[in-house]
Amino acid sequence: MGWNGIKNGQLLKLLISEGFDALLTFDKNLQYQQNFEKYTITVFVLTASINTYSELSKLTPKVKEQLNIDNLFPGPIIIK
């Protein structure tokens, strides 16, 4: 979408304005850097021993489980 280099706060605003329901990230600091009372988007913070595709993809079932919940809570959800 050409959003490379956009700061986290602006990125969250763009995601909401474009109708996104959630963001997947492995930026563990995002949950401490943003005031999630201002944003109505769910942020899945993926936590693995290393941030490789093979390790992060093991978290897919847990993300899918959360996505199947009727009402996603805004703010960070830690997925381990």
Side-chain angles (χ1 to χ4, degrees):
M1 299 201 60
W3 294 353
N4 288 341
I6 294 177
K7 302 289 183 193
N8 289 337
Q10 184 63 29
L11 176 62
L12 292 170
K13 289 177 188 176
L14 280 169
L15 290 168
I16 292 166
S17 70
E18 292 293 323
F20 285 81
D21 295 317
L23 168 68
L24 277 77
T25 184
F26 50 83
D27 180 355
K28 296 171 189 74
N29 291 320
L30 181 67
Q31 62 186 321
Y32 305 110
Q33 296 168 341
Q34 299 300 315
N35 177 2
F36 283 98
E37 292 178 9
K38 296 185 340 186
Y39 305 110
T40 57
I41 192 165
T42 301
V43 177
F44 293 105
V45 181
L46 306 179
T47 304
S49 57
I50 56 174
N51 292 332
T52 61
Y53 177 79
S54 61
E55 287 299 310
L56 292 173
S57 63
K58 293 175 185 176
L59 301 175
T60 300
K62 293 180 180 182
V63 172
K64 286 184 176 181
E65 180 182 318
Q66 289 292 319
L67 288 172
N68 286 327
I69 296 173
D70 287 335
N71 293 318
L72 287 174
F73 293 103
I77 296 175
I78 309 303
I79 305 290
K80 296 180 182 182

